[in-house]
Amino acid sequence: MTAAAWPRIKVDIVFSGRPMPRLLEATAVKEATLIWAQYGVDLLATSPDTPCRDGAITLAVVLADHPESPVPDSALGSIVFVEGGPGSQILMYPNAIVALVSTATVLERSEPEWPTMLRNVVLGRVLGRALAHEIGHFLLRSRDHSTIGLMRARQSIADLVAPERNRFTLSQEEGARLRSVRSAASQ
Ligand SMILES: [Zn+2]
């Protein structure tokens, strides 16, 4: 399936809440952008004072200290559904991501041995993948999880930190759902 066959969707994301190191934010945005680009989704991080692009959906991404009940403490991100549909606010939990990444091994080195730049790249990658998952709940208008790919309820730490992102894809059913949700939205 080529990118041209997917409906084009523009999504502007606006970060707020806790500040993040620039490299970490840039890596996270790049990761989420690349995951969604293969499905025709054009993701762009904008600042709160920049007007959103014509025809773009705006998603607010709030970096919060910790999840509020009923979201489990181990959650990396969450999105609230209101009356069956997803809200346009995604909460991300950098502390949970830091805790998870502290148990990872990259290039055969455990986290305390990583140089700062590698730490920010890995944290950004994990944050971006977790953000891409929450964007998936929004775009698919579904709270469902699958057994494989981007929409798994729980990703393995090895997959989350790995440089290759080929495990972060939509299933065939999710791809079909994305098309039907978007074609309904554009009518
Ligand atoms: Zn989920």
Side-chain angles (χ1 to χ4, degrees):
M1 189 69 64
T2 63
W6 292 96
R8 312 298 300 173
I9 309 167
K10 280 190 259 183
V11 179
D12 286 355
I13 51 178
V14 182
F15 283 96
S16 64
R18 281 173 43 161
M20 269 202 283
R22 203 172 274 271
L23 174 65
L24 199 157
E25 181 177 314
T27 309
V29 169
K30 182 177 154 217
E31 190 64 35
T33 301
L34 289 172
I35 287 172
W36 279 105
Q38 57 192 326
Y39 302 108
V41 179
D42 170 12
L43 210 69
L44 183 76
T46 66
S47 68
D49 29 79
T50 314
C52 90
R53 291 175 295 172
D54 264 358
I57 299 165
T58 305
L59 286 179
V61 176
V62 183
L63 302 172
D65 284 335
H66 54 81
E68 305 269 346
S69 174
V71 179
D73 283 343
S74 59
L76 305 183
S78 65
I79 181 166
V80 173
F81 274 66
V82 188
E83 290 166 7
S88 60
Q89 188 188 68
I90 289 171
L91 286 149
M92 296 303 299
Y93 311 110
N95 289 342
I97 291 168
V98 168
L100 183 72
V101 165
S102 72
T103 64
T105 302
V106 171
L107 305 171
E108 297 178 3
R109 286 171 187 232
S110 60
E111 193 259 0
E113 297 174 89
W114 299 350
T116 307
M117 192 165 143
L118 176 64
R119 183 172 297 114
N120 279 330
V121 165
V122 175
L123 285 171
R125 189 181 287 159
V126 176
L127 179 61
R129 289 171 180 177
L131 174 60
H133 173 99
E134 300 307 326
I135 292 172
H137 284 303
F138 178 87
L139 291 175
L140 297 168
R141 301 188 63 80
S142 166
R143 306 163 107 143
D144 292 349
H145 288 114
S146 61
T147 51
I148 53 153
L150 176 67
M151 297 314 293
R152 274 177 295 181
R154 230 168 227 284
Q155 310 282 351
S156 80
I157 177 71
D159 286 348
L160 282 168
V161 303
E164 52 286 338
R165 65 181 66 82
N166 53 4
R167 289 182 185 268
F168 296 86
T169 54
L170 297 182
S171 67
Q172 229 164 23
E173 297 74 41
E174 287 158 352
R177 185 173 170 85
L178 181 67
R179 282 172 206 286
S180 71
V181 167
R182 296 330 305 178
S183 71
S186 64
Q187 272 155 27

